[in-house]
Amino acid sequence: MINLTIDNQQIEAEEGKTLLAAATLAGIDIPTLCYHPAVPSAGACRICVVEITGGGQPGLVPACAYPVQEGLEIQTESERVVASRRMTLALMLARSPGATIIQEMAQEYGAEPVPMDKGDDDCIMCGLCVRVCQDVIGQSAVCFEGRGHERKITTPYDKQSEVCLGCGACAFICPTGAIDPADYCPHPLETIPNDFNCGLDTRTPIHIPFPQAVPNKPLIDRENCIHFITGGCEACKQICPADAIDFDMTDEYVTEKVGAIVVATGYELFNPDVYAEYGYGRYPDVVTSIEFERMVSASGPTTGELVRPSTGKPPKTVVFLQCIGSRREQGGLPYCSKICCMYTAKHAILYKHKVHDGQAFVFYMDVRSGGKNYEQFVRRVIKEQMATYLRGRVAKIFPSDGKLIVRGADTLSGTQVEIAAEMVVLAPAMVPAAGIRNLAQTLRIGYDEHGFLLEAHPKLRPVETNTAGVFLAGACHSPKDIPDSVAQASAAASKVLGLISHQTLTREPTIGIVDEETCNACFECEGACAYGAIGPKELKDRKGEVTAVVAYINEGLCQGCGACAVTCRSKSIEVQGYRDDQLFAAINATGR
Ligand code: SF4
Ligand code: SF4
Ligand code: FES
């Protein structure tokens, strides 16, 4: 370790570290422009100069490039340092008067532009873009060209460069925002839509999927990561203080043996672009409710500011359309999605909170507000937020004069209405998550014609399925709001605890029994059992020699469905409690 003093503070630093790294670790702030921890330092801009006042050759040195040395005494804000930064900034201000960061730093250090020809761009010639492209990305698509006043950043021969990947690293790292890779790149720039924000903004290849993700850790998207494309970059690895980046990690399948499974696969939204009359996908100001939700969220693409995608300005009139795909026997889904009435009311309130002088209209079929305080909430939206509720469907949306004309029916007044809206929010139906049918078949549980999973009994066993040990929670079972999903999930968790907190498994006695004397081991029953409960069993004599093989029913797996009993041609299987003689006795007793 190296001992030195920075601003009269005793500091220990690892050998090979720069003065900037040592000062940063000690909480001492030194301004920088041409420095980035992932890019080799060049000491080009000289904003980070500090003064060596003892322990070495006195003078000004760039902190980002000068290594720590034993016994050095450093001042980071001495008169000489401040004067040097002021002069540097005065030159930069003269060259790039429009660069905001330079204006701010110049003001802080009291720098005035020196008299010289004004530059016409914001580039301060720090070369960070050239270094990141060459040393980190490994492409060398941009370079310096010319001398003196003519010096500029460009591509070889001033032509768009085929080697430019369009990764945007240069634009990302440029301290003044002076560079636009589109000038250099002959192909479209790489932008990765941010799925969590419904593609309304972009993300980087290394990213945390969404705020509050569990685990709240970044992941690398291999398809877009420069390292996996070119073998270069590794910028994240260089700057990660925890040394946590491992490019060799691969996806793995994990196998666990469990006693119970809770299926909570959630839902997706019906795709509203099947209804051409609403113009979703054609008109940028027609959005879905989930897109609206992200727009008004503080962690959303506009950090909570509600703006029209087409103009970037707040919408003064918003029309909300409920039941998009729901309750539609023809060309849609027959069921009610249950949550849309209430979240539309919430959206109308949020809209009024964001745009105080805005007007909200809601087209509805019925307002289904069956929940604690739900009806009062909707009344509040109508009375206090002055949202206009219109009962009827919308027939057509079309653009006119920069607005969207929403033409629909108001069935209560029996009139046709037209509203000139600046944004339209569709509330699409809830549908089960993709792949739910495959999962259901794997778990051997039932599902309805829409793909929602079936409970064992709608009243008596609403969270259990026909397969013992598999439970349901949330919208995989049916459209549900958050309180209902939480209630069902709590019930499922209690059922699981009831199962695994006992030493022995108790279960219903209605299971299949094999008559070993008559079973002829054809094993047709094995294929008929949907629960995989039937297998072979060897019968042995006293000497331990196998005398016969018969079917065996695993009592833990058998669900008592009786499929095996009706399949067995030798009538060797019966379901306990449902033997033929018992059923006939029951029928006879009923007929008396
Ligand atoms: S474009 Fe930006 S990063 Fe490149 S030299 Fe100019 S100021 Fe520095
Ligand atoms: S966008 Fe092009 S010029 Fe800029 S860093 Fe990437 S490859 Fe280099
Ligand atoms: S930041 Fe150190 S010389 Fe530019």
Side-chain angles (χ1 to χ4, degrees):
M1 285 303 237
I2 304 282
N3 296 294
L4 70 162
T5 310
I6 302 182
D7 290 346
N8 307 322
Q9 197 176 319
Q10 285 288 340
I11 285 170
E12 265 196 348
E14 268 177 54
E15 192 165 357
K17 293 277 174 202
T18 61
L19 292 177
L20 178 66
T24 307
L25 259 182
I28 298 168
D29 201 28
I30 298 176
T32 60
L33 279 171
C34 75
Y35 170 79
H36 190 279
V39 182
S41 293
C45 74
R46 297 196 65 83
I47 277 296
C48 67
V49 285
V50 292
E51 184 176 2
I52 299 178
T53 53
Q57 178 73 34
L60 296 178
V61 292
C64 69
Y66 202 87
V68 291
Q69 286 168 18
E70 188 66 34
L72 272 188
E73 288 170 21
I74 302 292
Q75 289 297 325
T76 65
E77 290 287 335
S78 68
E79 262 180 45
R80 281 186 74 192
V81 167
V82 170
S84 167
R85 287 183 192 156
R86 188 180 302 127
M87 177 49 74
T88 304
L89 286 164
L91 288 164
M92 286 178 179
L93 200 55
R95 186 193 155 87
S96 308
T100 315
I101 187 165
I102 304 302
Q103 291 167 359
E104 287 168 3
M105 289 176 94
Q107 195 177 12
E108 187 185 338
Y109 282 91
E112 295 290 337
V114 293
M116 61 182 261
D117 284 348
K118 280 194 175 164
D120 57 2
D121 66 21
D122 291 344
C123 177
I124 54 169
M125 291 291 144
C126 70
L128 199 45
C129 54
V130 176
R131 281 180 282 137
V132 76
C133 189
Q134 179 180 307
D135 298 329
V136 179
I137 306 300
Q139 293 305 102
S140 298
V142 279
C143 58
F144 285 109
E145 188 207 77
R147 291 175 185 282
H149 280 307
E150 305 296 313
R151 194 161 166 78
K152 64 173 182 180
I153 295 289
T154 182
T155 46
Y157 307 110
D158 235 349
K159 290 205 165 88
Q160 287 195 324
S161 168
E162 277 302 328
V163 299
C164 174
L165 301 172
C167 66
C170 52
F172 172 81
I173 213 162
C174 174
T176 62
I179 199 162
D180 181 359
D183 296 342
Y184 309 133
C185 196
H187 30 259
L189 298 184
E190 288 294 332
T191 51
I192 314 166
N194 181 352
D195 294 340
F196 185 65
N197 281 338
C198 308
L200 295 167
D201 63 354
T202 56
R203 61 162 172 80
T204 48
I206 184 164
H207 63 288
I208 294 177
F210 53 90
Q212 290 104 36
V214 180
N216 201 254
K217 303 253 164 74
L219 58 90
I220 294 176
D221 154 15
R222 286 165 198 239
E223 276 180 24
N224 293 294
C225 168
I226 298 285
H227 175 74
F228 286 99
I229 295 170
T230 68
C233 193
E234 301 194 2
C236 51
K237 191 176 173 71
Q238 285 177 47
I239 58 174
C240 176
D243 198 19
I245 308 284
D246 178 359
F247 292 111
D248 297 327
M249 270 175 117
T250 52
D251 298 340
E252 27 175 323
Y253 286 94
V254 179
T255 307
E256 298 281 356
K257 218 170 175 182
V258 296
I261 295 170
V262 178
V263 185
T265 46
Y267 71 97
E268 290 179 6
L269 289 182
F270 180 81
N271 185 356
D273 71 10
V274 299
Y275 302 128
E277 62 270 32
Y278 299 140
Y280 179 72
R282 261 183 305 141
Y283 310 136
D285 294 327
V286 178
V287 300
T288 62
S289 48
I290 192 79
E291 288 167 349
F292 183 87
E293 184 82 33
R294 294 311 304 147
M295 285 177 182
V296 293
S297 165
S299 63
T302 50
T303 56
E305 194 189 347
L306 181 64
V307 291
R308 297 178 69 187
S310 65
T311 62
K313 297 201 173 112
K316 294 294 180 196
T317 311
V318 175
V319 177
F320 295 89
L321 310 191
Q322 293 187 186
C323 293
I324 303 300
S326 308
R327 305 180 64 196
R328 203 160 169 150
E329 297 278 352
Q330 303 295 323
L333 299 158
Y335 55 83
C336 166
S337 287
K338 199 169 174 189
I339 61 170
C340 326
C341 290
M342 293 315 297
Y343 76 55
T344 299
K346 179 192 84 171
H347 284 170
I349 284 198
L350 287 174
Y351 167 59
K352 290 291 285 184
H353 287 185
K354 302 273 173 192
V355 186
H356 301 309
D357 57 346
Q359 178 62 48
F361 294 87
V362 179
F363 277 91
Y364 70 99
M365 299 265 285
D366 293 297
V367 176
R368 295 185 165 174
S369 48
K372 190 176 177 186
N373 294 330
Y374 283 11
E375 183 62 21
Q376 295 92 312
F377 185 80
V378 176
R379 293 277 144 231
R380 233 177 79 205
V381 175
I382 297 170
K383 285 190 184 145
E384 292 175 20
Q385 307 297 330
M386 308 302 281
T388 306
Y389 270 63
L390 297 160
R391 187 176 188 278
R393 283 222 191 254
V394 163
K396 195 173 170 60
I397 296 173
F398 54 94
S400 174
D401 282 339
K403 297 198 173 180
L404 292 166
I405 308 300
V406 182
R407 182 182 291 159
D410 177 0
T411 56
L412 293 183
S413 66
T415 55
Q416 191 184 70
V417 286
E418 274 196 4
I419 300 164
E422 296 196 337
M423 186 183 266
V424 176
V425 183
L426 309 177
M430 269 177 129
V431 292
I436 190 86
R437 287 176 171 83
N438 286 344
L439 178 68
Q441 284 161 15
T442 306
L443 295 174
R444 298 171 194 270
I445 54 180
Y447 50 88
D448 66 17
E449 70 266 43
H450 309 297
F452 289 111
L453 302 180
L454 292 179
E455 69 283 354
H457 188 285
K459 289 179 184 163
L460 303 177
R461 297 169 66 201
V463 300
E464 293 158 85
T465 63
N466 278 330
T467 299
V470 180
F471 303 95
L472 306 176
C476 65
H477 167 243
S478 64
K480 243 179 228 95
D481 64 4
I482 295 171
D484 283 359
S485 299
V486 170
Q488 196 185 15
S490 306
S494 312
K495 286 279 178 189
V496 170
L497 285 175
L499 253 189
I500 61 178
S501 57
H502 295 106
Q503 293 296 323
T504 52
L505 190 67
T506 8
R507 48 154 314 140
E508 297 287 326
T510 44
I511 54 168
I513 299 287
V514 177
D515 182 341
E516 295 177 352
E517 286 188 5
T518 58
C519 172
N520 60 18
C522 68
F523 289 105
E524 300 231 350
C525 52
E526 191 176 4
C529 178
Y531 305 99
I534 303 181
K537 176 184 172 188
E538 290 178 345
L539 300 181
K540 295 180 181 167
D541 62 15
R542 278 196 222 152
K543 293 182 195 152
E545 284 174 11
V546 177
T547 55
V549 176
V550 293
Y552 165 75
I553 296 179
N554 182 321
E555 295 177 358
L557 295 176
C558 175
Q559 302 302 307
C561 69
C564 53
V566 293
T567 311
C568 180
R569 278 179 280 183
S570 60
K571 291 200 169 293
S572 301
I573 303 182
E574 284 184 323
V575 177
Q576 283 196 134
Y578 291 91
R579 287 196 326 263
D580 286 354
D581 59 314
Q582 287 171 316
L583 287 176
F584 285 131
I587 293 166
N588 285 338
T590 321
R592 268 191 207 135

